[in-house]
Amino acid sequence: MEYKSHILFSNLLYSCVDKKQRSNESFVPEHAFGYIISGESHQKTNEGTLVFKAGTVGLVRRNQLIKSEKVPGPEGEFKSINLFFDQAFLRRYSAEHKLAPAKSYTGNPVCLLPPDPFIKGYFDSLLPYFNHPEQASDTMADLKTREAVELLLRLDPSLYDFLFDFSEPYKIDLEAYMNKHYMFNVPAAQFAKLTGRSLASFKRDFEKVFGTSPGQWLQQKRLAEAYYLIREKGQKPSEVYLDVGFENLSHFSYSFKKAFGVVPSRV
């Protein structure tokens, strides 16, 4: 295989990196079904960090805020395969098979699945298509996605609700949610969706609850947390800025100095 960092066709993704790499995206819009070939995948939510080691298979439910990091193993590389189940496909599958409505899914949104030779064989069967992407097609991807659904339901029938619960986030406590998820760097529109609001009502409710705009509050909250981690916990600015929700170190340093009158390294 001519290794590239990422090979994507249709809803199938192969990843191969030789150094630690954080995901640029914190929002998972569709269900993700993944297999770690080598290295580790660290999935950080507001509840903590789940480590997917080499040889493990996991499921991540849609509409989640997660910071993921690819960590190469002793052999020097991180490799994985991921398949994404979009809602259009799952609705079509449900209609074709005349499936009964699913119950509201209330289980863990990040699942580490037990070892299974059929699922291991399934991911092995995808590798030749990444070796020879010219042989891949949308029809093949659709067939392999259908196979993945069948294998998951065979492994654990309770995953039916995980896959086929099409309900959208309902209106929830805005203050509690934002205080738990402020460190995830996603647009206000994503926070609005995840709290069950339109963007306009999210901004309006936010102003009522916090007395300021989402952008101003998020920056103040992230900077306050960064100050605490650097001053009280002894962490380095280069270790902190991504964890609290900033995109790059220079913007973080500029904002930090503007807020506290001193650069982060001098706290």
Side-chain angles (χ1 to χ4, degrees):
M1 178 183 290
E2 179 186 351
Y3 291 121
K4 300 177 182 179
S5 61
H6 296 87
I7 301 173
L8 174 69
F9 60 85
S10 190
N11 59 320
L12 300 167
L13 174 67
Y14 171 85
S15 299
C16 178
V17 298
D18 58 7
K19 59 183 178 181
K20 283 187 179 181
Q21 184 180 93
R22 294 198 187 207
S23 172
N24 292 326
E25 299 292 334
S26 295
F27 179 64
V28 180
E30 303 288 0
H31 303 324
F33 178 36
Y35 171 61
I36 309 301
I37 301 171
S38 64
E40 295 180 351
S41 175
H42 297 181
Q43 305 288 324
K44 183 178 181 180
T45 72
N46 67 301
E47 300 292 337
T49 300
L50 185 61
V51 177
F52 290 84
K53 297 182 179 292
T56 60
V57 177
L59 266 177
V60 177
R61 187 164 164 75
R62 68 188 178 103
N63 292 335
Q64 299 302 312
L65 290 177
I66 294 178
K67 293 182 179 183
S68 63
E69 184 176 36
K70 301 177 176 72
V71 181
E75 68 285 350
E77 291 181 322
F78 168 90
K79 299 179 186 177
S80 70
I81 298 176
N82 283 279
L83 179 149
F84 303 97
F85 297 105
D86 67 62
Q87 294 297 283
F89 166 83
L90 291 171
R91 288 181 181 276
R92 187 167 64 251
Y93 183 98
S94 178
E96 290 171 359
H97 291 78
K98 297 181 173 57
L99 300 181
K103 298 176 184 177
S104 178
Y105 181 75
T106 58
N108 196 327
V110 183
C111 304
L112 186 64
L113 302 181
D116 181 78
F118 294 96
I119 288 181
K120 171 64 166 59
Y122 167 79
F123 280 107
D124 287 343
S125 75
L126 293 175
L127 282 172
Y129 293 101
F130 294 109
N131 276 307
H132 304 284
E134 73 281 358
Q135 298 295 321
S137 67
D138 289 341
T139 299
M140 183 281 301
D142 185 79
L143 288 171
K144 299 304 286 186
T145 305
R146 292 170 182 273
E147 183 183 356
V149 171
E150 298 290 338
L151 287 171
L152 285 170
L153 294 179
R154 170 200 151 272
L155 176 69
D156 185 354
S158 71
L159 291 175
Y160 183 91
D161 294 334
F162 183 108
L163 293 171
F164 296 106
D165 170 15
F166 298 121
S167 61
E168 293 298 328
Y170 56 88
K171 195 169 184 177
I172 60 174
D173 185 316
L174 182 61
E175 183 175 12
Y177 187 87
M178 294 305 300
N179 277 313
K180 286 184 177 180
H181 297 88
Y182 66 87
M183 74 292 295
F184 291 96
N185 186 12
V186 296
Q190 298 291 9
F191 281 127
K193 177 178 181 178
L194 294 171
T195 57
R197 292 164 170 83
S198 67
L199 181 57
S201 64
F202 172 77
K203 290 180 177 179
R204 184 170 57 250
D205 290 351
F206 201 99
E207 181 78 29
K208 290 178 182 177
V209 172
F210 295 105
T212 186
S213 68
Q216 290 177 327
W217 182 87
L218 284 167
Q219 176 147 306
Q220 292 169 0
K221 186 76 172 176
R222 290 165 178 169
L223 287 172
E225 179 66 10
Y227 187 95
Y228 168 77
L229 292 173
I230 295 170
R231 179 67 180 269
E232 303 299 330
K233 297 296 183 179
Q235 295 189 27
K236 297 179 180 178
S238 58
E239 299 171 340
V240 165
Y241 78 97
L242 288 171
D243 287 340
V244 299
F246 280 84
E247 290 185 358
N248 61 71
L249 184 56
S250 60
H251 178 234
F252 167 69
S253 297
Y254 171 82
S255 300
F256 192 98
K257 184 177 181 181
K258 187 176 180 181
F260 301 113
V262 62
V263 294
S265 58
R266 295 294 180 88
V267 172

